[in-house]
Amino acid sequence: MLAAAVAALTVSGLLAPTVRAAPAAPEPSRPPHAQRLIVGYKSASPKARSDQAVKDALRRKTDGTALSFERRLATGAVLLRLREQTTAASLSAVTEELKGDPDVSYAEPDSVLQAAADPDDPAYRLQWDLWDGTAGMNVPPAWNRATGRGVTVAVIDTGYVTHTDLDSQIVDGYDFIADASNARDGDGRDSNYHDPGTWSAPGQCAPDSPGGPSVWHGTHVAGTVAAQTDNGIGVASTAHDAHVQPVRVLGACGGVKSDTAEAIIWAAGGSVPGVPDNETPAEVINLSLGEKAPCSATYQRAIDSAVGHGTTVVVAAGNANENAAAYAPANCDHVITVAAGDRNGHRARYSNWGRTVDITAPGGSGNGTVQDDILSTYNSGRTDPDRESYAWLKGTSMAAPHVSALAALLLQLRPSLTPAQVQRVITGTARPIAGCGQNCGAGLADAGAAVRALSARTRHG
């Protein structure tokens, strides 16, 4: 759900001098100096084939160097370990000594690798929600193992307005808004999932409604999931190799339960009368929407259908600073309900809370400083689509797609995970949130920890 105002920037103005950059991501700590050497032996030497010959040669050394045999590599070289801690200089000296052995073809330190450089997207340093160790979701460590490749996330929202930083990740969705006047595209349901704008005139939605400009909500949510990363423009995202499937249910005056329920069923691969079947069913559904109401049979049956197809359903908790148990579909069974965290790693003051919440994710602070909110893809048009842009928004709407994207990372690693298993991995690896207790679910989602834990389980069966 979207809370309060939008601060939008054109692509060319994204890093203008008037934009205050967020603090730089902390530099990773340097690893301890490598204590191992890789040594290749000439083919004529017995050491090229015999591990025992290498061990015997090491025992015969009389210069005091404490080298031990560790293993032979698939390349044919051997891995030797220095038994004692050593400096870079002494390691270099040992390496050079080994190179002087007539049996040695090459010798080199077993160097320690780190992940490649940070993404080159210009706004990455503004995206504290990805990298900040206190308030962010600790996403960069996860990218070594998963980026969402092969997973589709359905964003059931306002649809999608074309954006260079996201286009390659989009797969065909559907427009489920049956009311042509609310759809604002001149017709009812059809295959055109693009967002024509959600602006409304005063009195259009209710006798006393004030009207308002378009909010390109679905595009912002989609960018948080899967904006292209390391492409030299714009923003980065959590699951940047995942696909996004835009499904329209929110128009000028919001959306209705019947459209939303059928959109959920369709997105997961179920059949909806009068609508062509979904050729690319989603493994994850993001619902950054809701109402103050009990979970109805309509919502629950749609969610049960999706979960029955193996689709994980992620829902925003709501922005009223109330118990999420009063808001649907956040209060439905078998969903992952997401509260919003602020720039300090606490529950955001607007976020709903309570035992209904399963997990918290970055959603923005709502403190009046836009750079403390969530930056993602957007559009500059106040009514119809205009220039593509980027904007900071805040709300549990922004928190939910972080978790949807994390689910995509996990499902890339293990496609057979059930929705319940996805939830258990996410909640079981969360970081505690001080002072929130059970009101924030398991705590703050941690992508690096979740992916690492699942990878370990995969290796060990």
Side-chain angles (χ1 to χ4, degrees), residues 188-221:
R189 290 184 174 179
D190 58 28
S191 60
N192 184 4
Y193 52 83
H194 288 87
D195 187 351
T198 56
W199 66 275
S200 61
Q204 176 179 341
C205 298
D208 58 350
S209 63
S214 293
V215 289
W216 312 99
H217 190 264
T219 301
H220 195 280
V221 169

Side-chain angles (χ1 to χ4, degrees), residues 207-415:
D208 58 350
S209 63
S214 293
V215 289
W216 312 99
H217 190 264
T219 301
H220 195 280
V221 169
T224 297
V225 174
Q228 294 179 57
T229 299
D230 219 14
N231 63 340
I233 64 170
V235 295
S237 67
T238 296
H240 45 265
D241 284 328
H243 286 120
V244 170
Q245 184 169 68
V247 184
R248 287 193 73 210
V249 299
L250 301 178
C253 300
V256 296
K257 184 186 303 181
S258 56
D259 289 346
T260 303
E262 290 197 309
I264 292 169
I265 292 169
W266 181 86
S271 295
V272 175
V275 177
D277 287 346
N278 186 357
E279 295 183 358
T280 53
E283 290 84 3
V284 183
I285 289 174
N286 187 90
L287 294 167
S288 289
L289 46 76
E291 60 175 325
K292 190 170 186 177
C295 178
S296 65
T298 300
Y299 279 138
Q300 193 62 63
R301 288 175 181 174
I303 290 165
D304 289 348
S305 174
V307 172
H309 279 84
T311 300
T312 299
V313 182
V314 180
V315 185
N319 301 324
N321 188 23
E322 295 180 3
N323 195 322
Y327 287 79
N331 53 11
C332 294
D333 294 334
H334 313 308
V335 301
I336 302 176
T337 299
V338 187
D342 66 16
R343 184 67 179 83
N344 296 312
H346 303 141
R347 180 181 67 87
R349 58 186 179 182
Y350 56 78
S351 176
N352 285 357
W353 41 266
R355 291 179 180 270
T356 297
V357 172
D358 295 299
I359 196 72
T360 300
S365 296
N367 60 8
T369 302
V370 293
Q371 290 90 343
D372 287 351
D373 296 333
I374 306 301
L375 184 63
S376 187
T377 46
Y378 209 66
N379 191 275
S380 63
R382 287 188 57 79
T383 54
D384 300 332
D386 195 351
R387 293 174 299 167
E388 61 184 46
S389 65
Y390 298 84
W392 279 276
L393 303 186
K394 57 184 174 289
T396 55
S397 279
M398 285 61 255
H402 284 86
V403 174
S404 294
L406 174 51
L409 301 185
L410 300 179
L411 287 164
Q412 176 192 342
L413 289 175
R414 190 181 289 184

